[in-house]
Amino acid sequence: MHIRFFLLSLENYLTIYTMKKIVFALFLCALTAGSTCFAKQSISLLNGEWQVTEIYGQKNNDSDLMLGFNTKEHRIYGNSGCNTFFALISNASKKKISFGAMGATRMACHKDDNYKYTTAVSETAAYKIGKNNDTLELKNKKGEIVVRLTRTQK
């Protein structure tokens, strides 16, 4: 009788202990919302290719400028008008994102936007996706918009 009571008590204790751990983990996720708990879900909205519409507040007329996201592989890729480039996503959360060192082709380019665009992308520290998931703003550390884009494909 005592052993059965002990085993039932132990089972109840373990169940309660497990539930407390789960509730605590959910509480931590809620406290750090926008951090690692929800990062995969939110940055997955970036997946696909985006057309550049504006760089540093100036309208872009070069239809070749684009940025692509592959969040499963934690990488970006793009075309800067003359060269193609790529980088790893080094840090990402619900609103913040940064990229590792960029690699690029080295073609001789006479377009000013080539350098300006890759510089703006490398300055990125945060992002904002539009309500319909069809526009994207990349922002620097000061919160200034450095690049605006529209979705071309998912």
Side-chain angles (χ1 to χ4, degrees), residues 40-51:
K40 277 193 174 182
Q41 180 183 1
S42 60
I43 69 164
S44 67
L45 293 174
L46 296 170
N47 271 330
E49 294 185 353
W50 302 79
Q51 182 75 40

Side-chain angles (χ1 to χ4, degrees), residues 112-153:
D112 290 336
D113 288 344
N114 184 60
Y115 177 74
K116 187 166 52 168
Y117 174 50
T118 54
T119 300
V121 171
S122 66
E123 288 179 10
T124 300
Y127 68 95
K128 180 181 178 185
I129 298 178
K131 289 183 181 181
N132 297 325
N133 300 329
D134 59 351
T135 60
L136 173 64
E137 296 174 344
L138 301 180
K139 300 177 181 185
N140 62 16
K141 288 181 181 178
K142 295 178 185 176
E144 302 163 332
I145 298 169
V146 292
V147 181
R148 287 184 200 264
L149 307 102
T150 57
R151 187 182 296 278
T152 58
Q153 78 177 52

Side-chain angles (χ1 to χ4, degrees), residues 24-35:
F24 182 70
L26 290 173
F27 175 73
L28 285 179
C29 281
L31 269 179
T32 60
S35 178

Side-chain angles (χ1 to χ4, degrees), residues 5 19-20 96:
F5 178 75
M19 292 301 290
K20 282 182 180 180
K96 297 185 185 285

Side-chain angles (χ1 to χ4, degrees), residues 40 43-44 46-48 68-77 86-92 97-100:
K40 277 193 174 182
I43 69 164
S44 67
L46 296 170
N47 271 330
F69 287 86
N70 183 330
T71 57
K72 283 186 179 180
E73 296 180 12
H74 302 286
R75 67 180 185 93
I76 61 166
Y77 56 93
F86 56 92
L88 291 177
I89 298 172
S90 60
N91 189 17
I97 195 163
S98 59
F99 311 117

